[in-house]
Amino acid sequence: MSQPSSVEEKLDHLQHHFIDSDQQFEASKLGMWIFLVTEILFFGGLFAAYIVYRAWYPELYLLASEELDVFWGTVNTFVLIGSSLTVAMAIRSAQLNQIRGLIINLWITIGLALTFMVIKYFEYVEKFEKGILPGAHYSYEGIAHEKANIFFSIYYMMTGLHGIHVLIGIGLMIWLVFKAKKKVFHSGYYTPVEITGLYWHLVDVIWIFLFPLLYLID
Amino acid sequence: MSGHHISSAKFLWGVAISLFFLTFLTVAVTWIHIPEPWNVVVAITIAAIKATIVAAFFMNLWWDSKFNVMLFLMSILFFLLLVGITLLDTLYRVDPVPSF
């Protein structure tokens, strides 16, 4: 008589072209790291633009960053770091077979990500009402610098692209919640949680640089 | 296996608290108005420390395969090449692009 199936290792997830779960997990993670490298270089182009223009117009950055609210920038930094913690907790729950904890941590992360986007929304609206719009649509008179629109073009491109990444992350985590509710994940297979976690932490790392570079210029 | 490190909840909270503290620190140093260019140096240094903490202990690079660490470091190296070579041009122009 064979043992009951609960004792056997669950291998539904294992694709036929991998030797075992570990090899499949490591291959997925390597693929994700290669994607993250392209993400770093993707944002890197915008950081390069930021640096070039800051070297050309240092006084513009000092003036224009006063329009950004340090308080809300700081709150959003705390919110994103908190969400990185809950993602790490979600992965830990999956590793320990605590599927309820996994789902709870994913929901908290989604909540924090939405909080970040709501704060960003109010920051954008406040600027739009003043006429601080990107590029040629810029019509705000409050900054005594002829290139003021350039700072805000860079600001909107960097925070906008980052915001799109946050929205994609929210979508991915909702997908993870559905998968977790279908009992797809367990301690032997949680690759999508791990991979999404890596993505989410990178989004956090990019904000860690955006915050001082945009908000904290004296 | 290198890919299945399980951090304790206490450890993860410790990492988050150190990140919260460094966030507070990077805001606090702007109150004392460090002169140019050191304010930028301090801000970037604190951000780099925070990014390293996230990469090492939240993204688990500390326990991960060295190849993934190399990928991450190479992306930073190539980013610095992009910035460095670009600045060799833009910093030494007599007249920056007039219409920009």
Side-chain angles (χ1 to χ4, degrees):
Chain A
M1 283 294 286
S2 62
Q3 290 290 312
S5 62
S6 62
V7 176
E8 288 166 28
E9 197 185 349
K10 283 191 251 174
L11 289 172
D12 301 344
H13 58 275
L14 186 60
Q15 303 285 319
H16 67 88
H17 45 275
F18 290 109
I19 295 167
D20 56 22
S21 287
D22 272 343
Q23 193 199 28
Q24 178 170 304
F25 179 77
E26 292 297 325
S28 298
K29 213 164 55 174
L30 171 63
M32 193 60 193
W33 270 107
I34 292 171
F35 172 69
L36 294 186
V37 167
T38 71
E39 287 279 272
I40 290 167
L41 293 174
F42 182 24
F43 278 94
L46 290 170
F47 279 100
Y50 174 99
I51 293 166
V52 165
Y53 279 100
R54 185 155 180 186
W56 275 343
Y57 308 113
E59 70 291 349
L60 163 65
Y61 281 64
L62 290 177
L63 285 172
S65 81
E66 281 170 19
E67 294 296 327
L68 303 182
D69 194 323
V70 175
F71 175 76
W72 287 113
T74 311
V75 170
N76 257 352
T77 310
F78 278 91
V79 167
L80 266 199
I81 292 173
S83 74
S84 260
L85 171 65
T86 56
V87 159
M89 288 293 199
I91 293 168
R92 181 183 144 75
S93 302
Q95 287 170 325
L96 297 175
N97 249 338
Q98 298 163 349
I99 301 309
R100 212 179 106 80
L102 166 66
I103 293 170
I104 291 170
N105 275 308
L106 285 172
W107 277 124
I108 299 172
T109 312
I110 293 165
L112 289 169
L114 286 171
T115 307
F116 179 90
M117 289 311 292
V118 168
I119 291 173
K120 208 77 221 137
Y121 167 80
F122 283 111
E123 284 190 274
Y124 273 15
V125 165
E126 185 255 348
K127 284 180 194 61
F128 290 164
E129 281 169 358
K130 285 186 190 167
I132 300 178
L133 289 155
H137 306 286
Y138 186 88
S139 61
Y140 181 56
E141 303 284 339
I143 299 169
H145 198 290
E146 54 172 338
K147 306 282 189 192
N149 63 332
I150 286 180
F151 176 86
F152 288 102
S153 294
I154 291 170
Y155 166 81
Y156 282 121
M157 279 304 291
M158 296 185 100
T159 58
L161 188 64
H162 180 266
I164 289 169
H165 278 77
V166 173
L167 289 177
I168 292 169
I170 292 171
L172 287 173
M173 279 180 286
I174 290 171
W175 170 70
L176 288 180
V177 168
F178 278 102
K179 289 261 251 182
K181 283 191 172 163
K182 284 191 200 157
K183 308 259 185 274
V184 174
F185 304 127
H186 50 85
S187 59
Y189 175 69
Y190 58 92
T191 311
V193 187
E194 170 86 17
I195 298 298
T196 307
L198 285 178
Y199 168 86
W200 192 255
H201 293 311
L202 188 87
V203 172
D204 186 23
V205 165
I206 287 164
W207 182 260
I208 282 171
F209 282 98
L210 286 181
F211 169 59
L213 287 177
L214 293 169
Y215 290 78
L216 295 181
I217 312 169
D218 298 325
Chain B
M1 268 307 291
S2 58
H4 293 278
H5 174 83
I6 304 178
S7 300
S8 72
K10 210 187 213 175
F11 178 79
L12 293 174
W13 269 101
V15 173
I17 288 165
S18 68
L19 291 169
F20 288 142
F21 171 73
L22 286 169
T23 303
F24 169 75
L25 188 69
T26 194
V27 176
V29 291
T30 63
W31 299 335
I32 56 170
H33 292 283
I34 301 167
E36 294 265 359
W38 298 106
N39 55 355
V40 184
V41 174
V42 170
I44 293 296
T45 306
I46 295 174
I49 294 169
K50 285 168 73 182
T52 309
I53 291 172
V54 173
F57 303 120
F58 274 167
M59 300 171 95
N60 284 349
L61 276 184
W62 186 265
W63 303 277
D64 205 349
S65 106
K66 296 278 183 294
F67 193 81
N68 290 345
V69 179
M70 184 204 71
L71 284 176
F72 182 57
L73 294 179
M74 289 300 262
S75 74
I76 297 164
L77 180 73
F78 275 82
F79 166 68
L80 293 177
L81 267 178
L82 169 70
V83 172
I85 294 172
T86 308
L87 285 178
L88 283 180
D89 168 5
T90 60
L91 278 183
Y92 299 100
R93 288 185 190 183
V94 181
D95 185 24
V97 186
S99 59
F100 287 92

